[in-house]
């Protein structure tokens, strides 16, 4: 036996590799369920447990995200943080041995996180085909997408600015972090590299075929190879002159089996030494060279064995990680070797330690922690003082850059937001498609679809507002404001939002209820709701009411109807009553729903108008209870203010009567040291303080009994229905949305919304199970406490609309979204123009055998007209200030085929009819002439905007790639959200950083020797030219590479500067011909 006493005990620095099995067949129980508390934070071990110095014991376990497997764990190399990434692309970090949650964010929407690597400036996260670098707080530093078909598994930092990425493909990619560019690829044999390690001599590459190759540090050339296992490699590690590996052996027809012999190699002699037999099924292994060269061998079932690589494994050295029946998916060792981390398939992260006072790194820098809110210690600001510096007033973000939040701003009112959070409504409008040109349900569906596609970019609602302005009822209700009303503050926003609330519910109910005739869009599925005589809006918000009118003659008339919302009616106060009585909100709500009032009405029996008593009773409870608060005068505001004072005083008395409760500990993220919790000026409100200005309850209990009718009562937090109440049909309603009017005497104020975003939305958008209240205040969207949502100081904040929803009502509704737009929208359709003839057709519609597929090219161009001119003023210093920007409308949309025998032939060339007045046709730039958009005299193929919009939506949903020049503006005016990977914009292809954008005309002359747009623009010509330029770009890039292409761009800009970016006349060449004719760059241009 060899003598190993002279082995180097030092550990070379290397980057921890990927800790998951490379073969998916090895993890059959990957997604098995587990019952855990989803709200659990760090769970410490029993106080009686004594951690023995040098022996590893469990210190903490934390449920990061219940039921979602933890696919990667990593100890931060700079700070005392433990990182984890899960199967749904979500990452979280935990601070120190107490494992208080430090940060949490979504890295990828669908793919699992396979490798995490910390750096000095940020943290790298590797998924299947994406590498993303984020700060430790979650801000994106860069986002790099690998080649299509890549299946990355691990990465390794070769120095501070370079890394290697490997996976199940035949190459390893080198990436420079400073430029985020791939510099070279090193070819490896299939099936690729799944694990990478590094020493001061070699790169070590582990392959799923069971081999480990040693490669040169400079050239990546293979120097040696160990054939470790006949089946597959699971993990390996290096220390000094030893390499240890674990894996699977092939058992013939029986497949793979875990090999309990670890292969150990001497890197000095480049040969295997005696294999090490262990007593667990090894899945992960690491050297932990604290006192000796110990190996930690981990099985997937949670068994952990420590042994010497040159000795015999002892059964007494086996420990067990308590995974509650789950499988271990990831494993890592801290740089100090004092801590081990395990991630399991149930979403838990387990921290083991060998010392009572554990530190992850020998020398960690200080972690920046969030401090408690110090608002109470800030000086009071006099908002009404004329000399108050404006810099002291907190202002919302007004930048044009995309917000960091994933909540795009859509409308000037928060209304669509509190409608969108109702999942049945969101699904209904996205499944809805009708033949009406202006349909709010269709436009809301398009808007919500854009919000779903949006990746943090703002979504505009211009098409929705365009349809909204055409509805007569909206104008009759005063919902369309004049510019002067907005600027002078004359608009009574409190009344307007309640009128809007009533209007939008009725309009959506009507549009989804109507029986639909022959479809304008062939093959588009008609609404199933229309045929059944019931809409989802009616089922969701509707409540069947019975209206009774009783004359004093004894004649009673009863009518049934459907109401979608209720209005609060406040009790009448006589002039003699100086004190306003105390009322419970539930009592006022019951009287408002079961309303009783006296009025003059016609009596058929008396044949004249008589005093009658009208009463209203409900027959069923709605799933969503919508309430208009009607606080429209000082009288109602005073009533509301008095009731909040009654409620607050009652809460104070109740708190004083109860024994004091122990103070709840602050979250670890807020307070790491006890001294911080008692900072002078920092106060934390009591439960009674939370009730200040609160009158409405967060939950209601409602029941319709046979004897007493409707019963309404408030429900305290945590209170549930009894079995007898459930048997009687009682329901619990939770407050989920509030729209308030923030008053300002000078400007009229503004509207804000407090919305409780539920688990369904967070699961769909972020992949997490979570509920949170948010404040929507124009551009500002911020999480708030639930107590704040119900607080109303009516001196400045007045309630307008309340939304209560019944608990667990979702299962009653189909929440699947089926895209109603199919290929039939591209087929031939009739023109709206009376004079349009087939001989004038400028396009050939797609045939069935030409239907486009994902990644097909489509040339696109759009032309616009001006509806409103820009309003601007000239300042005294000569600069122009825009008061109101011009309003554009799309007038023509052209799509041409990007491949096939008919490449360049248009299949869409639609002129868009508009009912709004056009102030400027911009003929010189658009080619649109007066009369082209008039159905009476136009000879063009005239359609509605909705018809053409559906064609483009179908192309987007199909996955085609649009090629054009300046497409960003085109899509913004058309009001389309197109994924960035589906847009090829030639204005950016031929652009150098920090240089001007180049016109399509100049590029066409320079590269294609074409003279376009000489007199006017033509969208067919522009779309074809953009396609040709893209082909030219591909040819230049392929023939000469990036370096030669940069030379071409440099020559392009030099030529442009000489000509002042003007295309020379054809007749006067004067040596100014295009490069195609003069061979400006012969090394590349053989075209």
């Amino acid at each position: 036996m060899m003598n190993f006493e002279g082995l180097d005990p030092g550990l070379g620095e290397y980057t921890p590799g990927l800790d998951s099995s490379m073969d998916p067949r090895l993890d059959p129980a990957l997604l098995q369920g587990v019952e855990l508390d989803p709200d659990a934070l760090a769970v410490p071990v029993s106080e009686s447990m004594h951690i023995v110095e040098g022996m590893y014991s469990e210190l903490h376990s934390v449920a990061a995200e219940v039921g979602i497997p933890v696919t990667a764990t990593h100890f931060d190399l700079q700070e005392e943080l433990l990182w984890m990434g899960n199967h749904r692309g979500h990452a979280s970090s935990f601070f120190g041995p107490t494992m208080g949650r430090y940060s949490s964010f979504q890295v990828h929407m669908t793919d699992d996180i396979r490798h995490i690597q910390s750096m000095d400036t940020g943290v790298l996260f590797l998924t299947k085909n994406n590498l993303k670098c984020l700060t430790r707080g979650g801000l994106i530093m860069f986002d790099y997408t690998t080649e299509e078909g890549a299946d990355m598994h691990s990465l390794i930092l070769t120095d501070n600015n370079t890394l290697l990425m490997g996976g199940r493909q035949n190459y390893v990619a080198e990436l420079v972090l400073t430029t985020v560019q791939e510099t070279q690829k090193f070819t490896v044999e299939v099936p690729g590299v799944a694990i990478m390690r590094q020493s001061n001599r070699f790169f070590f590459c582990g392959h799923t075929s069971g081999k480990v190759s040693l490669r040169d540090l400079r050239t990546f050339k293979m120097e040696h190879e160990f054939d470790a296992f006949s089946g597959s490699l699971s993990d390996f590690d290096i220390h000094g002159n030893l390499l240890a590996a674990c894996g699977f052996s092939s058992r013939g027809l029986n497949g793979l089996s875990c090999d309990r012999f670890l292969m150990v190699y001497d890197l000095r002699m480049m040969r295997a030494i005696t294999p090490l037999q262990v007593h667990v099924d090894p899945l992960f292994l690491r050297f932990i060279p604290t006192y000796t060269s110990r190996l930690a061998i981990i099985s997937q079932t949670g068994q952990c064995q420590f042994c010497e690589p040159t000795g015999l494994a002892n059964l007494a050295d086996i420990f067990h990680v308590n995974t509650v029946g789950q499988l271990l998916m990831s494993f890592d060792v801290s740089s100090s070797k004092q801590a081990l981390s395990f991630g399991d398939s149930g979403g838990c992260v387990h921290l083991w330690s060998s010392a009572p006072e554990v530190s992850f790194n020998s020398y960690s820098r200080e972690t920046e922690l969030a401090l408690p809110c110090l608002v109470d210690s800030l000086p009071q600001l006099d908002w009404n003082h004329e000399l108050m510096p404006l810099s002291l007033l907190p202002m919302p973000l007004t930048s044009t850059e995309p917000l960091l939040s994933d909540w795009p701003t859509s409308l000037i009112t928060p209304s669509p937001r509190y409608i969108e959070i109702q999942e049945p409504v969101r699904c209904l409008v996205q499944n809805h498609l009708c033949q009406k040109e202006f349909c709010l349900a269709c436009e809301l569906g398009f808007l919500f679809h854009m919000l779903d596609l949006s990746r943090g970019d703002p979504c505009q609602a211009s098409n929705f507002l365009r349809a909204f302005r055409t509805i007569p009822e909206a104008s009759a209700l005063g919902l369309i404001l004049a510019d002067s009303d907005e600027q002078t503050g004359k608009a009574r926003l409190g009344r307007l939002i309640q009128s809007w609330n009533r209007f939008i519910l009725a309009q959506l109910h009507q549009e989804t209820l109507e029986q639909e005739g022959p479809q304008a869009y062939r093959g588009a599925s008609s609404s199933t709701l229309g045929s059944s005589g019931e809409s989802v809006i009616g089922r969701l918000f509707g409540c069947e009411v019975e209206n009774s009118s009783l004359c004093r003659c004894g004649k009673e008339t009863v009518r049934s109807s459907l109401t979608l919302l209720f209005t609060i009616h406040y009790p009448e106060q006589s002039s003699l009553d100086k004190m306003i009585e105390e009322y419970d909100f539930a009592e006022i709500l019951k009287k408002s729903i079961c309303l009783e009032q006296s009025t003059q009405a016609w009596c058929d029996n008396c044949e004249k108008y008589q005093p009658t008593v009208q009463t209203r009773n409900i027959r069923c409870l709605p799933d969503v209870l919508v309430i208009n608060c009607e606080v429209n005068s000082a009288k109602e505001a005073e009533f509301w203010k008095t009731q909040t004072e009654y409620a607050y005083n009652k809460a104070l008395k109740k708190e004083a009567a109860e024994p004091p409760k122990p103070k709840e500990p602050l979250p670890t993220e807020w307070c790491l040291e006890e001294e911080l919790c008692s900072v002078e000026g920092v106060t934390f409100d009591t439960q009674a303080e939370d009730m200040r200005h609160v009158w409405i309850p967060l939950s209601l209990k409602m029941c319709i009994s046979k004897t007493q009718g409707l019963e309404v009562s408030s429900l305290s937090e945590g209170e549930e229905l009894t079995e007898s109440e459930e048997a009687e049909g009682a329901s619990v309603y939770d407050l989920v949305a509030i729209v308030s009017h923030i008053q300002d005497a000078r400007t009229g104020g503004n509207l804000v919304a407090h919305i409780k975003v539920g688990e369904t939305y967070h699961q769909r958008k972020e992949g997490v199970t979570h509920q949170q209240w948010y404040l929507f205040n124009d551009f500002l969207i911020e999480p708030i406490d639930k107590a704040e949502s119900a607080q109303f100081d009516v001196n400045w904040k007045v309630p307008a609309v309340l939304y209560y929803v019944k608990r667990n009502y979702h299962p009653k509704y189909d929440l699947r979204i089926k895209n109603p737009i199919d290929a039939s929208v591209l087929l031939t359709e009739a023109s709206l123009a009376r004079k349009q003839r087939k001989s004038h057709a400028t396009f050939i519609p797609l045939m069935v055998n030409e239907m486009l597929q994902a990644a097909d090219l489509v040339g696109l161009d759009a032309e616009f007209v001006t509806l409103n001119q820009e309003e601007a003023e000239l300042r005294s210093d000569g600069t122009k200030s825009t008061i109101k920007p011009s309003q554009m409308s799309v007038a023509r949309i052209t799509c041409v085929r990007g491949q096939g025998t008919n490449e360049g032939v248009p299949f869409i060339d639609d002129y868009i009819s508009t009912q709004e007045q056009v102030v400027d046709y911009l003929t010189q730039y658009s080619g649109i002439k007066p009369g082209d958009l008039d159905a009476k005299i136009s000879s063009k193929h005239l359609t509605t905007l909705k018809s053409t919009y559906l064609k483009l939506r179908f192309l987007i949903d199909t996955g085609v790639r649009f090629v054009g020049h300046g497409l960003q503006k085109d899509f913004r005016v058309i009001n389309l959200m197109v994924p960035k990977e589906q847009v090829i914009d030639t204005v950016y292809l031929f652009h150098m950083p920090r240089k001007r954008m180049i016109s399509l005309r100049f590029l066409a002359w320079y590269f294609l020797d074409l003279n376009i747009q000489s007199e006017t623009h033509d969208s067919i010509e522009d779309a074809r030219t953009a396609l040709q330029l893209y082909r030219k770009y591909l040819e230049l890039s392929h023939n000469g590479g990036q370096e030669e292409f940069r030379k071409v761009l440099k020559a392009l800009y030099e030529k442009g500067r000489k000509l002042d970016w003007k295309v020379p006349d054809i007749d006067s060449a004067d040596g100014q011909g295009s490069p195609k004719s003069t061979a400006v760059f012969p090394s590349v241009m053989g075209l």
Side-chain angles (χ1 to χ4, degrees):
M1 180 175 287
M2 292 186 65
N3 181 12
F4 292 96
E5 294 180 356
L7 289 179
D8 180 14
L11 175 66
E13 290 293 325
Y14 67 88
T15 304
L18 185 67
D19 289 336
S20 59
S21 174
M22 299 304 116
D23 194 332
R25 295 172 296 178
L26 307 181
D27 303 326
L30 179 64
L31 298 174
Q32 65 181 14
V34 58
E35 294 293 333
L36 288 175
D37 181 7
D39 299 323
L41 291 175
V43 182
V45 297
S46 173
E47 294 181 359
S48 61
M49 177 175 291
H50 177 65
I51 298 179
V52 181
E53 190 76 26
M55 299 292 292
Y56 287 96
S57 304
E58 184 168 0
L59 187 64
H60 274 75
S61 289
V62 62
E65 197 170 346
V66 177
I68 313 301
V70 178
T71 54
T73 58
H74 171 69
F75 285 101
D76 200 302
L77 299 178
Q78 279 74 32
E79 301 182 10
E80 292 292 302
L81 294 175
L82 172 59
W83 291 91
M84 59 77 61
N86 68 17
H87 188 68
R88 293 186 180 174
H90 197 84
S92 299
S93 62
F94 304 94
F95 179 75
T98 59
M99 295 190 73
R101 191 180 294 269
Y102 179 76
S103 61
S104 181
F105 43 82
Q106 193 72 22
V107 174
H108 198 279
M109 294 304 297
T110 56
D111 293 344
D112 58 312
I113 298 175
R114 298 183 172 181
H115 198 130
I116 305 174
Q117 177 63 51
S118 58
M119 304 185 300
D120 184 63
T121 56
V123 184
L124 296 168
F125 296 91
L126 183 69
T127 59
K128 181 178 179 181
N129 53 15
N130 181 265
L131 175 68
K132 189 172 290 187
C133 182
L134 299 98
T135 65
R136 287 168 172 82
L139 299 181
I140 298 177
M141 299 175 65
F142 68 76
D143 189 350
Y144 177 77
T145 303
T146 60
E147 286 188 0
E148 186 176 354
D151 187 6
M152 295 297 178
H153 276 273
S154 66
L155 63 86
I156 185 170
L157 286 171
T158 57
D159 55 45
N160 292 333
N161 297 319
T162 311
L163 61 81
L164 298 175
M165 293 186 294
R168 306 190 70 167
Q169 61 275 333
N170 63 344
Y171 64 87
V172 171
E174 183 182 65
L175 189 76
V176 177
L177 296 177
T178 53
T179 60
V180 196
Q181 290 184 348
E182 186 179 295
T183 55
Q184 55 184 326
K185 290 181 180 178
F186 302 106
T187 303
V188 296
E189 63 180 27
V190 178
V193 175
I195 310 175
M196 289 191 287
R197 302 277 190 263
Q198 181 182 0
S199 71
N200 55 0
R201 293 177 58 196
F202 299 107
F203 286 127
F204 296 82
C205 299
H207 308 266
T208 54
S209 59
K211 298 179 180 179
V212 179
S213 59
L214 284 64
R215 297 178 178 270
D216 187 85
L217 291 174
R218 292 183 296 105
T219 63
F220 208 73
K221 181 181 177 181
M222 188 168 69
E223 300 290 340
H224 200 82
E225 186 176 63
F226 298 128
D227 194 352
F229 296 96
S230 58
S232 178
L233 183 71
S234 177
D235 199 4
F236 75 91
D237 199 9
I238 53 171
H239 169 55
N241 294 316
L242 287 181
L243 183 150
C246 60
F248 299 82
S249 298
S250 177
R251 293 293 185 265
L253 298 178
N254 296 327
L256 300 179
S257 65
C258 190
D259 198 325
R260 289 200 174 188
F261 282 91
L262 303 184
M263 299 303 297
V264 185
Y265 296 91
D266 183 358
L267 299 179
R268 297 172 300 182
M269 307 296 293
M270 291 297 175
R271 68 181 184 184
I273 59 178
T274 305
L276 176 63
Q277 185 178 10
V278 295
H279 301 91
V280 300
D281 292 332
L283 182 67
F284 309 110
L285 62 81
R286 287 289 190 282
F287 278 104
I288 307 181
T290 49
Y291 306 110
T292 58
S293 301
R294 281 193 303 173
L295 264 176
I297 301 101
I298 316 297
S299 74
Q300 197 167 30
T301 56
Q303 292 175 309
C304 178
Q305 184 170 13
F306 296 92
C307 62
E308 293 290 330
T310 59
L312 296 177
N314 190 346
L315 280 171
D317 293 330
I318 296 180
F319 306 92
H320 192 81
V321 181
N322 185 16
T323 61
V324 199
Q326 301 299 311
L327 301 178
L328 291 185
M329 304 296 298
S330 56
F331 170 62
D332 194 26
V333 182
S334 67
S335 63
S336 65
K337 313 304 176 188
Q338 295 180 10
L340 311 178
S341 65
F342 306 89
D344 65 31
S345 59
C348 285
V349 179
H350 308 269
L351 177 65
W352 281 41
S353 169
S354 63
E357 301 296 330
V358 62
S359 61
F360 299 159
N361 303 299
S362 300
Y363 301 100
S364 293
R365 69 186 181 196
E366 186 176 356
T367 301
E368 183 179 354
L369 299 168
L371 294 175
C373 180
L374 301 177
V375 171
D376 291 343
S377 64
L378 294 178
Q380 294 294 321
L381 300 180
D382 185 2
W383 293 73
N384 298 317
H385 200 289
E386 295 181 353
L387 299 180
M388 176 63 64
L390 295 179
S391 60
L392 294 179
L393 305 181
M395 299 294 291
L397 178 67
T398 57
S399 172
T400 56
E401 295 296 320
L403 299 176
L404 296 178
S405 167
D406 192 27
W407 299 87
T409 56
S410 53
L411 290 177
I412 59 171
T413 67
S415 309
R417 274 303 182 192
Y418 65 72
I419 291 176
E420 187 197 12
I421 65 167
Q422 305 299 329
E423 286 292 318
V425 179
R426 188 184 68 86
C427 298
L428 163 71
V429 295
Q430 292 202 56
N431 289 330
H432 173 81
L433 183 63
C434 69
Q435 61 181 348
K436 290 173 59 178
E437 180 180 358
F438 301 108
C439 172
L440 291 189
C442 289
E443 296 297 341
L444 268 184
F446 300 154
L447 179 59
F448 292 166
H449 177 77
M450 287 196 295
L451 290 172
D452 287 345
L453 282 182
S454 173
R455 300 173 183 174
D457 297 326
C459 294
Q460 299 182 0
S462 53
N463 287 353
F464 176 84
L465 294 176
R466 182 173 182 262
F468 175 67
R469 287 192 293 265
T470 64
I471 299 176
E473 291 85 350
S475 180
L477 291 171
L479 299 177
I480 303 175
L481 298 181
D483 294 339
S484 58
D485 293 337
E486 292 183 355
Q487 295 169 2
T488 59
K490 292 181 180 180
R492 305 187 64 180
L493 297 180
R495 285 185 181 273
L496 277 176
I497 190 61
Q498 293 175 84
S499 298
W500 158 266
N501 191 39
R502 186 179 295 107
F503 161 80
I504 192 64
L505 291 178
Q507 188 71 20
L508 292 178
H509 174 60
Q510 179 185 349
E511 289 175 346
T512 55
L513 184 64
E514 290 175 349
Q515 178 68 41
E516 308 211 332
Q519 290 295 306
Y521 317 109
R522 280 86 34 209
S525 58
S526 59
S527 173
T528 57
L529 302 167
S531 58
S532 65
E534 183 184 21
S535 74
V536 171
I537 300 295
R539 290 171 53 200
L540 194 66
F541 300 92
C543 181
E544 188 177 359
V545 299
E546 184 179 275
N547 299 285
S548 174
S549 180
L550 179 64
C551 179
R552 61 184 179 181
C553 70
K555 173 71 173 179
E556 183 178 14
T557 305
V558 179
R559 300 189 316 273
S560 296
S561 61
L562 184 75
T563 184
L564 300 175
L565 57 80
F566 296 96
T567 301
I568 292 290
H569 289 264
Y570 300 98
E572 293 289 340
Q573 297 289 332
S574 64
S575 58
L576 299 177
D577 295 336
K578 295 183 179 180
M579 290 290 295
I580 300 177
E581 297 179 18
E582 181 179 357
Y583 291 92
D584 186 67
F585 178 83
E587 180 184 357
I588 297 293
L589 178 60
K590 176 183 176 180
K591 292 181 178 180
S592 301
I593 296 175
C594 300
L595 188 62
E596 180 175 336
Q597 57 187 0
S598 298
T599 184
Q600 291 283 341
W602 178 263
C603 178
D604 292 333
N605 189 36
C606 300
E607 295 184 346
K608 62 179 178 180
Y609 284 96
Q610 291 279 45
T612 58
V613 177
Q614 295 185 349
T615 58
R616 180 175 66 188
N617 292 293
I618 63 174
R619 296 179 177 176
C620 61
L621 295 174
D623 288 336
V624 180
L625 178 63
V626 185
I627 304 168
N628 277 354
C629 294
E630 287 292 336
V631 185
N632 298 322
S633 66
K635 187 176 180 180
E636 286 101 358
E638 184 64 27
F639 177 86
W640 195 283
K641 180 179 179 182
T642 304
Q643 300 307 318
T644 59
E645 291 174 353
Y646 281 133
Y648 176 62
N649 292 331
K650 186 183 294 186
L652 285 177
K653 293 178 182 179
K654 182 179 179 181
E655 187 177 65
E658 294 178 350
K661 297 180 180 179
K663 187 175 181 180
E664 295 183 1
L666 292 173
T668 310
E669 297 89 346
W670 287 13
C671 186
L672 294 180
E673 300 181 6
E674 294 180 0
E675 293 80 11
L676 188 58
C677 300
S678 58
V679 176
E680 184 177 354
V682 181
T683 60
F684 298 92
D685 293 340
T686 62
Q687 187 172 2
E689 283 296 322
D690 289 340
M691 292 300 296
R692 186 185 291 273
H693 304 305
V694 174
W695 182 43
I696 60 174
L698 294 178
S699 298
L700 289 169
K701 180 177 68 176
M702 300 182 68
C703 178
I704 301 178
S705 65
K706 297 180 180 179
T707 56
Q708 299 180 353
L710 177 65
E711 297 178 8
V712 184
S713 60
S714 301
L715 205 65
S716 60
E717 185 176 358
E719 188 178 352
E720 299 289 343
L721 295 177
T722 63
E723 293 183 359
S724 59
E725 289 173 335
E726 292 180 353
E728 293 175 0
S731 299
V732 176
Y733 286 80
D734 294 317
L735 184 65
V736 296
I738 305 168
V739 181
S740 308
H741 179 204
I742 307 302
Q743 295 185 328
D744 188 326
R746 293 174 298 171
T747 63
N750 65 295
L751 296 171
V752 301
H754 300 81
I755 300 177
K756 182 182 181 182
V757 180
E759 296 179 356
T760 308
Y761 186 93
H762 282 108
Q763 182 70 27
R764 175 166 51 87
K765 295 289 284 186
E766 302 175 328
V768 297
T769 304
H770 181 56
Q771 290 185 354
Q772 176 65 50
W773 279 93
Y774 290 92
L775 166 68
F776 289 78
N777 183 8
D778 198 43
F779 279 90
L780 178 66
I781 299 135
E782 197 169 273
I784 60 172
D785 185 75
K786 61 182 177 182
E788 180 184 341
S789 62
Q791 291 176 336
F792 292 98
D793 184 352
V794 292
N795 293 322
W796 61 274
K797 180 183 177 185
V798 179
V801 180
L802 307 177
Y803 269 60
Y804 283 89
V805 300
K806 187 184 294 185
R807 283 187 190 172
N808 304 322
Y809 74 98
H810 278 173
K812 295 169 55 177
Y813 300 92
D814 185 3
L815 300 183
R816 293 171 298 176
I817 296 178
K818 302 174 183 177
N819 192 348
I821 307 172
D822 58 21
S824 62
V825 298
L826 294 177
L827 302 180
T828 308
E829 65 176 349
S831 172
L832 299 177
R834 299 176 183 175
K835 294 187 177 182
Q836 202 264 348
R837 302 182 181 90
K838 289 186 178 180
S839 58
H840 295 160
T842 56
F843 66 100
I844 302 175
L846 288 175
M847 306 301 291
V848 176
N849 59 355
E850 287 184 296
M851 280 303 166
L852 299 169
Q853 306 296 324
D856 283 352
L857 297 180
V858 171
L860 183 140
D861 190 66
E863 308 293 352
F864 306 97
V865 294
T866 301
L867 301 181
N868 291 316
Q869 295 285 10
E870 178 187 81
E871 297 180 13
E873 64 179 5
L874 195 63
R875 294 196 183 100
S876 58
D877 59 356
T879 60
K880 186 178 73 170
S881 173
T882 301
I883 300 174
K884 183 180 179 181
S886 62
Q887 182 182 353
M888 310 291 288
S889 178
V890 61
R892 184 184 181 187
I893 296 176
T894 300
C895 292
V896 302
R897 297 167 172 85
Q899 55 275 311
T901 56
N902 292 327
E903 180 177 346
V905 177
F907 62 92
I908 296 175
D909 188 24
D910 292 348
Y911 286 72
I912 310 302
S913 173
T914 178
Q915 297 182 1
E916 300 172 283
Q917 183 179 0
V918 178
V919 299
D920 191 350
Y921 284 90
L922 304 173
T923 305
Q924 179 181 356
Y925 307 102
S926 67
I928 307 296
K929 300 177 181 178
D932 285 350
L933 308 182
D934 189 344
K936 298 178 181 178
I937 60 177
S938 177
S939 61
K940 311 297 183 182
H941 185 266
L942 205 61
T943 67
T944 63
L945 176 61
K946 183 176 180 179
S947 173
T948 307
Y949 187 98
L950 290 173
K951 299 174 186 178
L952 296 178
R953 251 291 301 274
F954 173 76
L955 295 177
I956 295 170
D957 295 344
T958 302
V960 304
R961 293 184 296 163
F962 294 97
V963 182
H965 196 80
L967 290 178
Q968 184 177 3
K969 177 188 175 183
D970 295 355
F971 289 136
R972 185 178 70 250
V973 179
I974 299 171
N975 202 197
L976 274 171
M977 175 62 68
V978 184
K980 294 180 181 179
E981 59 268 19
Q982 290 181 238
V983 178
I984 301 172
D985 202 331
T986 53
V987 78
Y988 296 109
L989 294 182
F990 298 95
H991 175 251
M992 293 183 70
R994 297 180 295 279
K995 303 287 186 180
R996 61 164 288 167
M997 301 294 184
I998 304 177
S999 68
L1000 181 66
R1001 186 183 184 206
F1002 193 89
L1003 290 174
W1005 169 80
Y1006 187 85
F1007 288 106
L1008 307 176
D1009 202 18
L1010 295 177
N1011 187 18
I1012 66 171
Q1013 303 174 354
S1014 55
E1015 296 181 0
T1016 184
H1017 286 229
D1018 181 81
S1019 57
I1020 296 179
E1021 183 183 59
D1022 291 353
R1024 285 173 178 161
T1025 304
L1027 270 174
Q1028 291 176 276
L1029 281 172
Y1030 177 59
R1031 301 290 187 194
K1032 185 68 68 177
Y1033 167 80
L1034 293 178
E1035 190 170 351
L1036 290 171
S1037 302
H1038 178 71
N1039 290 347
Q1042 290 298 321
E1043 190 60 36
E1044 288 295 327
F1045 185 69
R1046 279 193 286 269
K1047 294 180 181 178
V1048 172
L1049 288 183
K1050 187 175 180 181
L1052 166 67
Y1053 276 86
E1054 290 177 355
K1055 189 74 170 180
R1057 282 192 294 270
K1058 290 180 182 179
L1059 299 178
D1060 198 19
W1061 301 102
K1062 296 178 181 178
V1063 175
D1065 296 333
I1066 300 177
D1067 298 331
S1068 59
D1070 298 331
Q1072 302 291 347
S1074 71
K1076 184 175 180 180
S1077 58
T1078 57
V1080 172
F1081 33 91
S1083 62
V1084 179
M1085 188 72 81
L1087 309 178

